[in-house]
Amino acid sequence: MEIKTDVLVVGAGHAGCEAALAAARMGCRVTVLTASLQQVARMPCNPSIGGPAKAHLVKEVDALGGAMGRAIDETHIHIRMLNTSKGPAVQALRAQADRPRYSERVKLEVVSHPNIQIHQDLIQELHLHRGEIMGASGASGTLYRAGATVLTTGTFLGGLIHMGETSFAAGRSGEPPALALSHSLRACGLELGRLKTGTTPRLHRDTINWQAMEEQTPTETPLAFSEMSPLQLPPRQLSCYLTRTSLATKQVILANLHRSPMYIGLIEGTGPRYCPSIEDKMVRFGDKDTHQIFVEPEGFDVPEVYLQGVSTSLPLDVQWEIVHSIPGLENATILRPGYAVEYDFVHPTQLQHSLEVTRLRRLFLAGQINGTSGYEEAAAQGILAGINAARRASGAETIELGREQAYLGVLIDDLVSRGTSEPYRMHTSRAEYRLLLRQDNADERLTELGHRWGCVGTAQYQTFCEKQGVSQREYERLQTTRLKPADAEKASEAFKTPVKPGCSLYELLKRPHIELAQIRRFEGLEELPQRILERVEIRVKYDGYMKRQDDEVARARRMEDRELPPDLEYTGLRTLSSEAREKLSRQRPRTLGQASRIPGVTPSDIATLLVHLKQARPCKTL
C-alpha cells in the first residue's frame, strides 16, 4: 500500500500535533503517524502547562496560530501567575490540566481538520534519494511518500524503561519503542546520542491526608494563555498542595541506591539537570535533609495525583516506602509506579535553524529528538517544523526566528549553535533580550509573521489588528494629553503625588505606583479591556529600557548578519585555536554571530575571523 501526502508527521505528541496543524492550516495535505491512536497529545509526565520561560513559548505557539494555549485554557483545573513580585519579563502563567480532557481537546482538533489524516503505524525506515528524504516505510508495510517529513518521536526512539533491576524496551509504559528508526537515522549518516528522563508514582487522591499539607489556591483573577480565549474565571478550580520529604525519605533512598539503575550502571543516558530524580537529589544535595514536593491533581474526575519532585526509577517496593515517609502520604496508595526512560536523540548541531537536517533535505526534527525536555519546548519546535515542512513541500524557502524575535529563536539557536549533552530546558536567563520577549507581547512579535506565512487564520489576525489599534491609540493619547493647572491640582490630590501643570498622562503613568486604569477613572473614561491596559502600561513604564535593548539588538545584528563563506577552510586559518578549527569545520555556522555561540570558540577566534573577512573582501575599483 502507498500513501502520498504533502507533509508526513511521525508522532502525535505535543510537537507532532502542532506540526501537523500548522502545515494543515497552510493548506497542505498532512498524514500523521502514531504508535497509539488512544495516546494523542498525552501528558505522560507533569499534568501542567507553562511556568517561567515555558509560558513564553506557549504564548508564542498561540501567536503563530497553535493549539496548546487554547487547549489548556479550555481544560485547566488550576491556574496562577508566577513571579508577580518581579517585572513583566519574568512573570509567567502556569496551569494544571485536566489531563484526559486536555488530550481529547487537542486530539479532536487534529482529527477533525479536513487536511489531516491520522494512522496508527510505526516508522521503520526513511527513504533517502540524492540527499533528500522522500518518505518512509511503516511496520504495517505501508509506503508513505511525502514532500517533507517531520520526526517528533519523543522518548520512543530506541526507548528503554528502567524500574529497579528491571528494564524493558518501550517508548512509554505500555507502548512500543521505535527501534528500527534509530538504525535508519544512523544509516542516513546522523550522529545519535542517549538521554534519560523519568516520571513519578501516581497516587489515589482518596488515600491522601490533604489537611497535613499546605494548600496552594488557584487565582481569583481571570487569566488565559491564548489571545483568542475569553478572560473569565472557570466555574470550578482545584487547589494544589505543598509538602516536603522527611529525613526518613532520605534514609530510605540512600539505603537503596544499590537498587537504583542510575547508580548500578544500567542507565547510560544523561538525565535532566533541572528536574533530577529524587535519588539524584538526595546524593547531589547531601547537606539537605528535606526537599519540597508539589502534590497536583490530574483532573476533576481522575483519581490520580502527581507528585512533582519525586521522579524515580527505584523498585516498586522502595517507592512505597518513599511515599509513606512523606507527611500527608503515610497511607497513600500508588496507582502507577514511577520509572525512568532512556531514549535516542539526534545531536542538534546537525540541524539548520529551520529545524531541517543539514545533510538530509526535506527532513525536519522537533521535540525530544532534538535533545529538549518539556511539552512547551516540544510544541514550539513542532509549530516551526510544521511551517517549514509545509514551505519546503510547496517549493518555498524555509524561515527562521532570531534570538531577538522569540524564545523559540533562542531555544533553536542554543541547540544548533551549542548542542546539548543533557535534556535542554528553557529558562528566562537564556534570553539576552528577555525584556523584549515578554509573554504579554508574543502576538506583537509573531502574529503578523504568522499571518504572512499562512499559519494564522483571518479571525485571529483581525483580533490582533483590533487590539493593536486600540493599544496604539491609547499610547498616543497618553503622550499628547497634558494636564491643565486645575486638572494637575486634582491629580495631585487623587494620586497623592505632586503633579505640575503641563505634565502629560504618559509622564504620570511612568510613576511606579500609578496604573492606567486609575488614570482613566480620573478622566471619567470607560474601562478598557484588561489585556489592553496591561499592554499599554508595560510599554509606557518600560519604554526607556526597551529602547536601550533595541539598540543592543541593532549592535548585535551587525555581527550576527555578517555571513561566513560556506566553503571557508577553517583548517587553513592557523591563527584560530585548534578547538575552534575543529568545531567550526564540523558545524559550519552561517554567520559570525552563530560562530560566537559555539562552545570552545573564543572572542579571540571571532576577532581572527573578522580580520579574515575584511581581508577577503574584494577592493573597490576607483
Side-chain angles (χ1 to χ4, degrees):
M1 179 179 175
E2 181 176 309
I3 293 177
K4 292 183 178 180
T5 188
D6 296 323
V7 174
L8 175 66
V9 177
V10 179
H14 303 279
C17 289
E18 295 292 358
L21 288 167
R25 290 195 300 275
M26 295 170 70
C28 288
R29 293 172 298 128
V30 181
T31 300
V32 179
L33 303 182
T34 176
S36 171
L37 291 173
Q38 283 69 50
Q39 304 296 347
V40 174
R42 183 180 171 188
M43 292 179 148
C45 198
N46 196 325
S48 70
I49 296 292
K54 290 172 173 282
H56 295 67
L57 290 171
V58 180
K59 289 276 194 174
E60 291 174 359
V61 168
D62 180 67
L64 291 170
M68 177 173 271
R70 289 179 284 108
I72 189 62
D73 286 341
E74 293 175 23
T75 61
H76 75 256
I77 59 175
H78 177 114
I79 191 167
R80 299 175 70 191
M81 183 72 79
L82 307 181
N83 296 334
T84 53
S85 63
K86 300 178 180 179
V90 294
Q91 291 180 10
L93 270 178
R94 186 175 187 273
Q96 295 294 130
D98 188 314
R99 185 173 50 78
R101 287 182 59 227
Y102 176 89
S103 297
E104 284 300 317
R105 165 65 180 75
V106 177
K107 179 180 178 180
L108 179 62
E109 185 160 345
V110 172
V111 300
S112 63
H113 199 291
N115 290 347
I116 297 177
Q117 292 290 324
I118 187 166
H119 302 274
Q120 185 166 301
D121 202 353
L122 274 176
I123 285 299
Q124 294 191 318
E125 184 181 5
L126 296 171
H127 292 283
L128 177 63
H129 178 68
R130 295 182 180 177
E132 296 190 353
I133 297 297
M134 307 306 294
S137 298
S140 65
T142 304
L143 172 62
Y144 302 92
R145 294 195 181 278
T149 299
V150 183
L151 298 185
T152 67
T153 51
T155 60
F156 284 72
L157 200 62
L160 184 64
I161 282 180
H162 301 275
M163 190 167 63
E165 299 88 347
T166 302
S167 300
F168 55 92
R172 288 188 298 236
S173 183
E175 297 178 68
L179 301 177
L181 183 54
S182 288
H183 297 305
S184 182
L185 287 167
R186 288 190 177 95
C188 290
L190 294 182
E191 181 186 354
L192 274 60
R194 200 82 169 144
L195 294 176
K196 183 222 93 167
T197 188
T199 189
T200 77
R202 304 314 204 274
L203 310 182
H204 198 298
R205 65 183 177 191
D206 294 341
T207 63
I208 294 173
N209 179 9
W210 301 102
Q211 287 71 36
M213 296 179 285
E214 179 185 339
E215 186 176 8
Q216 302 252 296
T217 57
T219 184
E220 295 181 1
T221 303
L223 297 170
F225 281 93
S226 175
E227 294 297 314
M228 300 300 288
S229 298
L231 276 180
Q232 59 186 26
L233 282 173
R236 180 185 173 200
Q237 292 193 83
L238 296 177
S239 290
C240 295
Y241 290 81
L242 183 64
T243 185
R244 301 188 71 87
T245 61
S246 65
L247 182 58
T249 311
K250 182 176 183 179
Q251 292 169 343
V252 167
I253 291 170
L254 294 180
N256 285 279
L257 285 180
H258 64 285
R259 302 182 66 193
S260 167
M262 286 181 58
Y263 290 93
I264 59 177
L266 291 181
I267 294 178
E268 300 174 7
T270 306
R273 178 189 301 268
Y274 301 103
C275 189
S277 67
I278 189 68
E279 51 265 42
D280 198 19
K281 281 193 279 192
M282 293 300 176
V283 173
R284 286 168 53 186
F285 308 105
D287 57 324
K288 297 185 68 174
D289 288 334
T290 69
H291 295 268
Q292 190 169 260
I293 303 296
F294 287 95
V295 184
E296 303 170 340
E298 295 202 358
F300 290 124
D301 304 312
V302 179
E304 289 182 313
V305 171
Y306 184 89
L307 293 186
Q308 173 71 12
V310 193
S311 173
T312 183
S313 57
L314 283 162
L316 181 55
D317 61 302
V318 181
Q319 293 188 36
W320 279 96
E321 289 188 65
I322 291 171
V323 167
H324 289 163
S325 69
I326 298 172
L329 308 181
E330 294 88 349
N331 298 305
T333 297
I334 295 178
L335 295 177
R336 284 193 291 149
Y339 60 85
V341 57
E342 203 175 0
Y343 57 95
D344 292 335
F345 79 108
V346 174
H347 286 289
T349 52
Q350 300 167 98
L351 302 177
Q352 299 178 38
H353 284 71
S354 61
L355 295 179
E356 188 173 27
V357 177
T358 301
R359 290 183 294 169
L360 300 175
R361 188 178 162 91
R362 300 184 184 274
L363 178 64
F364 298 82
L365 310 183
Q368 284 173 290
I369 192 173
N370 291 338
T372 61
S373 68
Y375 310 142
E376 302 85 355
E377 289 88 343
Q381 293 172 75
I383 201 166
L384 187 71
I387 291 168
N388 277 324
R391 292 176 69 87
R392 180 65 77 207
S394 64
E397 289 299 312
T398 57
I399 54 92
E400 300 173 1
L401 289 171
R403 297 181 71 90
E404 78 287 356
Q405 290 178 288
Y407 267 82
L408 176 54
V410 174
L411 184 156
I412 292 173
D413 186 59
D414 281 353
L415 292 173
V416 173
S417 299
R418 300 172 181 171
T420 188
S421 58
E422 61 187 38
Y424 177 102
R425 180 177 179 177
M426 196 72 243
H427 295 285
T428 54
S429 60
R430 297 190 191 272
E432 59 269 51
Y433 307 121
R434 56 183 173 272
L435 192 55
L436 301 178
L437 305 182
R438 306 181 311 278
Q439 63 171 3
D440 66 273
N441 72 346
D443 58 340
E444 285 187 289
R445 294 182 276 115
L446 299 175
T447 298
E448 182 74 45
L449 289 173
H451 183 65
R452 197 183 309 157
W453 297 334
C455 60
V456 170
T458 302
Q460 182 175 350
Y461 186 62
Q462 288 177 344
T463 299
F464 163 72
C465 291
E466 290 168 6
K467 180 181 174 183
Q468 283 293 90
V470 174
S471 299
Q472 183 62 27
R473 287 191 293 273
E474 179 66 4
Y475 178 80
E476 292 172 357
R477 188 187 73 83
L478 293 170
Q479 288 182 310
T480 57
T481 304
R482 295 188 175 275
L483 295 172
K484 297 177 181 178
D487 292 330
E489 187 176 342
K490 291 178 183 177
S492 298
E493 184 178 343
F495 297 113
K496 296 181 172 54
T497 184
V499 180
K500 294 180 179 180
C503 174
S504 71
L505 296 181
Y506 175 90
E507 293 167 328
L508 187 60
L509 183 54
K510 272 190 168 294
R511 302 186 187 190
H513 63 286
I514 296 178
E515 298 177 352
L516 179 54
Q518 293 174 293
I519 291 177
R520 290 185 65 86
R521 284 196 295 270
F522 170 77
E523 294 179 281
L525 300 176
E526 64 180 15
E527 290 186 6
L528 284 175
Q530 185 62 31
R531 286 171 167 141
I532 302 292
L533 289 172
E534 289 175 356
R535 171 157 298 183
V536 175
E537 188 169 318
I538 290 171
R539 182 177 176 185
V540 170
K541 290 186 182 295
Y542 290 87
D543 246 351
Y545 298 103
M546 288 189 283
K547 286 173 182 173
R548 192 181 308 164
Q549 200 147 91
D550 281 333
D551 291 340
E552 293 174 9
V553 169
R555 286 195 299 271
R557 189 175 288 136
R558 286 194 287 271
M559 183 176 77
E560 185 67 41
D561 294 342
R562 194 72 180 270
E563 291 190 359
L564 292 167
D567 57 350
L568 180 58
E569 287 292 338
Y570 295 103
T571 53
L573 298 178
R574 308 312 298 177
T575 47
L576 288 174
S577 68
S578 58
E579 183 178 5
R581 291 197 300 271
E582 177 192 338
K583 291 186 174 180
L584 290 167
S585 297
R586 184 172 68 245
Q587 295 186 215
R588 311 298 307 179
R590 276 204 345 250
T591 68
L592 206 58
Q594 291 173 18
S596 70
R597 292 188 292 276
I598 296 175
V601 177
T602 67
S604 175
D605 294 321
I606 296 301
T608 296
L609 286 174
L610 191 56
V611 169
H612 175 79
L613 291 176
K614 290 178 179 178
Q615 291 175 343
R617 183 186 299 169
C619 297
K620 293 182 180 179
T621 303
L622 296 178

